[in-house]
Amino acid sequence: MSNLKSKKPVITERRKFISLMAQSIGLSALGGMIWTGYIEEAKSAPLILRPPGAMSEPDFLRMCIKCGQCAIACPFDTLQIAKPGDAKPLGTPYFVPREVPCYMCTDIPCVPACPTGALNEDSVSSVVQGEKVLDINKSRMGLAVVDESSCIAFWGIQCDACYRACPLLDKAITLEYKRNSRTGKHAYLIPRVSSDYCTGCGLCEHACVTKKPAIFVLPKQVAQG
């Protein structure tokens, strides 16, 4: 009888151990499935716009520690931090110009806030009188693209909303005057984007008057094929 009593605690502890192991394995497997899902979700949405000075996407993902300091430093709440369901790498900063564009802060507070160099100061700097100063106009967050089929300027309706919103007026976006052969009287005012000057700030996309923006910002490597 005493032997049976002494064996009971051993059996109970063993059962507890096996149960805990099974739970741990199950949770690990579930976590792995969820994480894999997030990764696949992120891979399926490559059209992500990063903050000014961001390294190339592979280098950015390698260097970004998901601290959120850039988003905290942004005075306009432009930068968002990717969360589950956003179809973007978790914890990384991005922005959606149609919602809140980059307002081109001259001191670019998000860049020096980055502790790892994932937002590279050198890529958004100019040398003035021998000193390096931040220059937001050097930023290349993306490249604006015009959808000619939905842009009302291509229909003959006068609109210069994107042109007027551009912080680099007559550089990043210019207006091309083109004869309207249909009416013979009016001119088309066609927006043209220069890849040499466009910063990808998205102010043009934000200002576009059509329900679905006829001008929109894409990552530069995507926009240029």
Side-chain angles (χ1 to χ4, degrees), residues 125-140:
S125 296
S126 294
V127 177
V128 179
Q129 295 179 346
E131 291 187 9
K132 186 175 75 172
V133 294
L134 292 174
D135 183 358
I136 187 61
N137 295 335
K138 294 281 186 181
S139 180
R140 294 295 180 267

Side-chain angles (χ1 to χ4, degrees), residues 58-211:
D59 289 334
F60 178 80
L61 292 177
R62 178 175 56 83
M63 297 177 70
C64 177
I65 58 173
K66 290 84 176 171
C67 65
Q69 291 301 309
C70 56
I72 293 170
C74 178
F76 296 101
D77 295 327
T78 296
L79 297 178
Q80 303 179 41
I81 299 298
K83 58 186 182 300
D86 283 342
K88 295 169 180 63
L90 285 174
T92 60
Y94 70 98
F95 72 104
V96 181
R98 191 61 166 174
E99 296 174 6
V100 189
C102 172
Y103 284 97
M104 303 276 284
C105 304
T106 53
D107 57 346
I108 330 180
C110 57
V111 175
C114 178
T116 65
L119 302 182
N120 183 11
E121 289 192 23
D122 290 338
S123 66
V124 286
S125 296
S126 294
V127 177
V128 179
Q129 295 179 346
E131 291 187 9
K132 186 175 75 172
V133 294
L134 292 174
D135 183 358
I136 187 61
N137 295 335
K138 294 281 186 181
S139 180
R140 294 295 180 267
M141 294 168 275
L143 179 61
V145 175
V146 179
D147 179 5
E148 296 183 7
S149 64
S150 60
C151 176
I152 61 175
F154 284 84
W155 304 351
I157 301 173
Q158 185 171 338
C159 177
D160 60 359
C162 60
Y163 169 76
R164 292 295 173 190
C166 181
L168 295 176
L169 200 66
D170 283 325
K171 286 187 175 181
I173 299 181
T174 55
L175 289 180
E176 177 185 323
Y177 290 82
K178 187 177 178 182
R179 183 175 180 273
N180 187 336
S181 57
R182 183 172 60 84
T183 64
K185 295 179 181 180
H186 308 96
Y188 289 108
L189 300 179
I190 307 298
R192 299 295 186 193
V193 179
S194 170
S195 59
D196 292 333
Y197 291 101
C198 179
T199 64
C201 67
L203 281 161
C204 57
E205 179 177 337
H206 187 68
C208 184
V209 300
T210 56
K211 186 174 182 180

Side-chain angles (χ1 to χ4, degrees), residues 16-28:
K16 284 182 181 178
F17 176 75
I18 293 170
S19 176
L20 286 171
M21 285 292 290
Q23 289 176 30
S24 298
I25 292 169
L27 287 171
S28 297

Side-chain angles (χ1 to χ4, degrees), residues 207-222:
C208 184
V209 300
T210 56
K211 186 174 182 180
K212 182 180 179 182
I215 185 169
F216 47 88
V217 181
L218 294 174
K220 194 167 185 178
Q221 66 274 19
V222 175

